[in-house]
Amino acid sequence: MKNKNIKGLEGNLLIRNKILKDRFSNSVFYKIDSDHINKSSDEISFLAFIYTLRGFSSIDIPTCQKIISETKKAISSAMYKAKELDLGLETIPLLITSIRSSMVCEESETIFKSKLNQILDSGIDAFELHIDIIDLNIIKHQLNILKLHLPNQIISISISRKNLSNALMLEVIRSAYEIIKKELIVEVNEIDEITSNINMNTTLQTISTADIINKQLKSEHLKFKKIPIILAGGTNELTSRLAEQCGVPFNGITFKPDKSEISNYSSKKYYEITNEEIIYSIEVTKKLLNKVLINKKDSLNPIV
């Protein structure tokens, strides 16, 4: 029975990997980033529940055992609810957690490795390293530790030109690919992802950075061509249209949810809301997508 369960799990992972690969190819890999809202397991698990039902490809949550555990429960509950409501979901989302490279520097290597082991045991699917230091040797050392402890997991690097020159940014991506290989994802963020307002400037910065990566790395070197590029900074109603008008290829978009999306049910747990409330919440998330994906076909699920 155990071997049969393992084979079933491996089969499901292969199916999910194929679906995610197709979404990268069609530029419809959508990630929700919960990092900027309160570190409340109730709020984050509610968002995970709704965005799983909405068919999002990935959910980024804080590195906290309680939040990871509650989010996994919410995702499982959403998959059961999707069958009940006949939503036709293709697969479960990729669950990802992240940390800043500067925070890794502040910890001992032993503590960092211990956290990675805990993350692996918790069932996280992927890990993201936000590059906010400029020492390439330290960045490479951190990536080597990640690869050693998470050999089969997707590893994403989130970069911006706040601290990195164009040349150093490209060198970071080259080094990351040599270490992580085909499991690498590159998320392009705005100049200041903490304090920047979502406006035309941050959108242009993100698209400009992606353009540099495409022209000076992916187009010139065949082995880097398949690295997925996710647009994260300044994702507003102009993002998809502007990137396409500028001829800048991308493979997905990271969204930052508005807390107003959960305000109507802030006193409820995700498992307490009715089917009608679920449908309404999913409709609210559609507005978020529609603002960004003006000319992009939304192939997430039949609720659209």
Side-chain angles (χ1 to χ4, degrees):
M1 179 64 71
K2 186 175 181 181
N3 289 337
K4 186 180 294 185
N5 290 337
I6 292 174
K7 288 182 179 179
L9 178 60
E10 290 175 344
N12 290 335
L13 291 175
L14 288 173
I15 292 172
R16 182 173 69 171
N17 289 342
K18 182 181 184 305
I19 290 170
L20 294 179
K21 184 178 180 181
D22 289 342
R23 291 183 181 180
F24 282 134
S25 298
N26 294 316
S27 303
V28 291
F29 180 94
Y30 305 139
K31 184 178 90 169
I32 197 73
D33 186 355
S34 67
D35 189 54
H36 73 298
I37 67 172
N38 290 338
K39 301 297 188 293
S40 162
S41 60
D42 288 342
E43 288 187 4
I44 292 174
S45 60
F46 187 98
L47 286 173
F49 180 76
I50 295 301
Y51 280 96
T52 297
L53 289 171
R54 186 63 186 82
F56 265 59
S57 305
S58 180
I59 300 172
D60 191 341
I61 62 175
T63 307
C64 168
Q65 290 297 315
K66 179 181 178 182
I67 291 176
I68 293 172
S69 176
E70 291 301 315
T71 301
K72 287 174 67 68
K73 292 176 184 177
I75 290 173
S76 295
S77 181
M79 296 305 294
Y80 280 111
K81 182 60 68 173
K83 291 181 180 180
E84 178 187 328
L85 298 177
D86 195 25
L87 300 184
L89 293 185
E90 292 181 306
T91 186
I92 63 172
L94 198 70
L95 192 58
I96 184 169
T97 190
S98 57
I99 192 171
R100 296 182 182 279
S101 51
S102 58
M103 292 179 64
V104 178
C105 293
E106 294 171 1
E107 299 177 336
S108 71
E109 189 170 306
T110 301
I111 292 175
F112 181 48
K113 290 178 178 179
S114 176
K115 284 186 176 180
L116 290 177
N117 287 331
Q118 291 174 6
I119 288 169
L120 187 61
D121 292 340
S122 71
I124 280 287
D125 301 307
F127 191 90
E128 183 167 88
L129 184 66
H130 288 251
I131 308 295
D132 60 348
I133 60 175
I134 60 174
D135 191 317
L136 182 60
N137 288 328
I138 293 178
I139 294 170
K140 289 165 66 174
H141 182 61
Q142 291 176 354
L143 290 171
N144 274 305
I145 292 174
L146 284 173
K147 184 62 178 177
L148 180 64
H149 282 72
L150 310 170
N152 301 313
Q153 269 71 22
I154 290 174
I155 297 175
S156 171
I157 58 172
S158 180
I159 58 174
S160 80
R161 288 186 287 169
K162 178 184 179 183
N163 296 314
L164 304 178
S165 66
N166 291 350
L168 181 54
M169 175 183 68
L170 295 175
E171 191 56 41
V172 167
I173 297 173
R174 290 190 188 97
S175 299
Y177 179 80
E178 295 302 328
I179 295 168
I180 300 169
K181 305 299 183 185
K182 64 181 181 179
E183 289 83 16
L184 176 66
I185 295 175
V186 174
E187 181 180 82
V188 179
N189 230 307
E190 61 216 38
I191 293 294
D192 190 341
E193 58 184 287
I194 298 176
T195 62
S196 289
N197 293 321
I198 293 179
N199 54 37
M200 173 67 83
N201 183 56
T202 53
T203 299
L204 287 172
Q205 289 285 355
T206 300
I207 293 174
S208 173
T209 303
D211 192 39
I212 291 170
I213 296 170
N214 280 306
K215 289 180 177 177
Q216 298 185 29
L217 190 66
K218 295 184 70 174
S219 296
E220 293 186 3
H221 305 276
L222 187 61
K223 67 179 180 179
F224 301 127
K225 190 174 182 180
K226 292 185 178 181
I227 297 176
I229 301 296
I230 309 300
L231 303 181
T235 45
N236 57 25
E237 62 268 21
L238 298 173
T239 304
S240 179
R241 181 172 64 183
L242 192 57
E244 291 179 354
Q245 287 178 345
C246 294
V248 178
F250 63 94
N251 304 97
I253 293 178
T254 294
F255 297 84
K256 295 179 180 179
D258 190 324
K259 285 188 66 175
S260 63
E261 295 171 26
I262 63 172
S263 61
N264 289 338
Y265 312 118
S266 58
S267 62
K268 292 186 176 183
K269 310 289 188 182
Y270 66 85
Y271 48 80
E272 295 175 337
I273 62 174
T274 66
N275 287 350
E276 290 74 18
E277 290 170 334
I278 288 173
I279 297 299
Y280 173 79
S281 296
I282 294 173
E283 290 293 335
V284 171
T285 68
K286 284 174 57 178
K287 296 178 182 178
L288 174 65
L289 276 175
N290 291 337
K291 287 180 180 179
V292 179
L293 308 172
I294 292 175
N295 295 321
K296 184 69 64 179
K297 181 181 179 183
D298 181 2
S299 60
L300 289 176
N301 64 41
I303 291 181
V304 175

